[in-house]
Amino acid sequence: MKRGRARAIEALDTWTFDKDHAHATLNGGKTAEVKLTRFQGISDEPAVLKNVPYWGTARNDGFVMMPNELETYKEGPKAYEFKATNGFMLTFDMTSKDVKPEKGSTSY
């Protein structure tokens, strides 16, 4: 993990979700914020895309389709804000045995 990403994860101070909404903030929303709302499917259950790999994860419970109301990063020269773009929520499961070490790396 890159050092900048580690700091961002440490600054995550809000993460709430249910079947209809998800909301996350960094630094109380001063640095970044994401608000997602469930995509309306045929029923009132979330629309979920299953059996799709994601990065190096061996297992996930599906992409819960949740387009964003707001996705913003407010710091630095590459600050941005998007509204009403694609979004999803995903819970994945992986262990150190799921990813093979790179050539030349040491495995403990």
Side-chain angles (χ1 to χ4, degrees):
M1 180 181 302
K2 293 181 180 176
R3 193 170 213 30
R5 285 184 161 229
R7 279 190 294 245
I9 291 169
E10 290 172 7
L12 181 67
D13 54 14
T14 302
W15 173 240
T16 59
F17 63 93
D18 59 29
K19 73 178 192 96
D20 296 317
H21 301 281
H23 184 223
T25 62
L26 293 177
N27 191 21
K30 294 176 189 167
T31 301
E33 183 173 13
V34 175
K35 288 183 182 178
L36 305 173
T37 299
R38 175 180 57 87
F39 176 80
Q40 182 60 50
I42 295 170
S43 72
D44 282 338
E45 291 303 308
V48 181
L49 177 62
K50 294 194 177 245
N51 196 30
V52 178
Y54 187 66
W55 291 348
T57 63
R59 294 161 299 284
N60 68 63
D61 59 0
F63 292 76
V64 180
M65 309 313 289
M66 297 183 100
N68 74 51
E69 289 180 38
L70 174 67
E71 177 184 347
T72 184
Y73 185 75
K74 301 173 182 177
E75 293 184 352
K78 295 186 178 183
Y80 63 85
E81 182 173 299
F82 298 115
K83 293 183 177 181
T85 60
N86 290 333
F88 64 88
M89 187 171 63
L90 174 73
T91 302
F92 61 85
D93 173 36
M94 66 185 298
T95 70
S96 60
K97 295 178 182 177
D98 291 330
V99 180
K100 294 181 181 175
E102 293 181 19
K103 254 187 178 178
S105 67
T106 304
S107 179
Y108 296 99

